[in-house]
Amino acid sequence: MTKKPYKEIGSLSIHSVFEEDSGVLKVSLNETGYVEVSISETHEHGMTAEIDLTFQEYERVLKAVDKANDILLSDIFHQERYAVDFINVSGPSFKRQGFILVNVFEHSIILVVSLTRGADADIMIGKEEISLLVSLLEKVEMILDIKQFDYDNF
């Protein structure tokens, strides 16, 4: 059985105040319903980490980002990283297992993808980009919710 490639649903280019926290977030789907979340850091020594999530794991990421956004909207200023959620990911391929960590720091969300074997990549998403992040994540959720998921025509 050959694995069909992932189809990209969307991407978001993040421009952080700190160059090392800038990068590109991509979200893709495959025909079996796995969601690939990829973070590529754009600085000179940046890493790329791609992780496969089940629908349930993806739902936790979406809820964690929503919760982090609510924390930021409450104007609570976090001078240290505040962990919102730690999502352990045990995808179909050992190379794409690890965890996703959602943090709040100052007025930003920090999204970390860490692979069990491989890269650790993170990006810092500022207030002005958070609504774009939420829209992208919700778009994927809508596609996953469709019962007659037609992989070839989305």
Side-chain angles (χ1 to χ4, degrees), residues 66-115:
D66 281 340
K67 183 177 178 181
N69 192 29
D70 290 343
I71 291 169
L72 291 174
L73 291 174
S74 70
D75 283 333
I76 297 173
F77 184 72
H78 293 276
Q79 292 185 6
E80 296 181 16
R81 283 189 182 197
Y82 171 76
V84 176
D85 201 354
F86 176 92
I87 300 104
N88 199 18
V89 177
S90 55
S93 167
F94 188 70
K95 292 179 181 178
R96 291 174 167 245
Q97 294 178 356
F99 65 85
I100 293 182
L101 180 61
V102 180
N103 291 309
V104 172
F105 176 65
E106 294 180 351
H107 298 290
S108 302
I109 293 175
I110 299 175
L111 192 60
V112 179
V113 171
S114 179
L115 302 177

Side-chain angles (χ1 to χ4, degrees), residues 29-145:
L29 289 174
N30 75 1
E31 65 181 357
T32 60
Y34 278 95
V35 179
E36 176 189 71
V37 174
S38 170
I39 293 179
S40 297
E41 299 170 330
T42 53
H43 61 90
E44 182 180 355
H45 301 289
M47 297 185 146
T48 296
E50 298 170 338
I51 199 161
D52 290 338
L53 298 115
T54 63
F55 179 74
Q56 293 80 13
E57 292 163 342
Y58 184 78
E59 284 288 310
R60 278 195 61 195
V61 171
L62 183 58
K63 287 178 185 174
V65 169
D66 281 340
K67 183 177 178 181
N69 192 29
D70 290 343
I71 291 169
L72 291 174
L73 291 174
S74 70
D75 283 333
I76 297 173
F77 184 72
H78 293 276
Q79 292 185 6
E80 296 181 16
R81 283 189 182 197
Y82 171 76
V84 176
D85 201 354
F86 176 92
I87 300 104
N88 199 18
V89 177
S90 55
S93 167
F94 188 70
K95 292 179 181 178
R96 291 174 167 245
Q97 294 178 356
F99 65 85
I100 293 182
L101 180 61
V102 180
N103 291 309
V104 172
F105 176 65
E106 294 180 351
H107 298 290
S108 302
I109 293 175
I110 299 175
L111 192 60
V112 179
V113 171
S114 179
L115 302 177
T116 304
R117 292 198 173 173
D120 297 322
D122 61 41
I123 52 175
M124 183 181 284
I125 303 141
K127 276 189 172 182
E128 55 284 339
E129 296 170 321
I130 292 171
S131 63
L132 297 172
L133 171 66
V134 171
S135 294
L136 174 60
L137 297 178
E138 287 176 347
K139 179 179 178 182
V140 173
E141 182 185 40
M142 282 183 1
I143 292 170
L144 289 171
D145 283 342

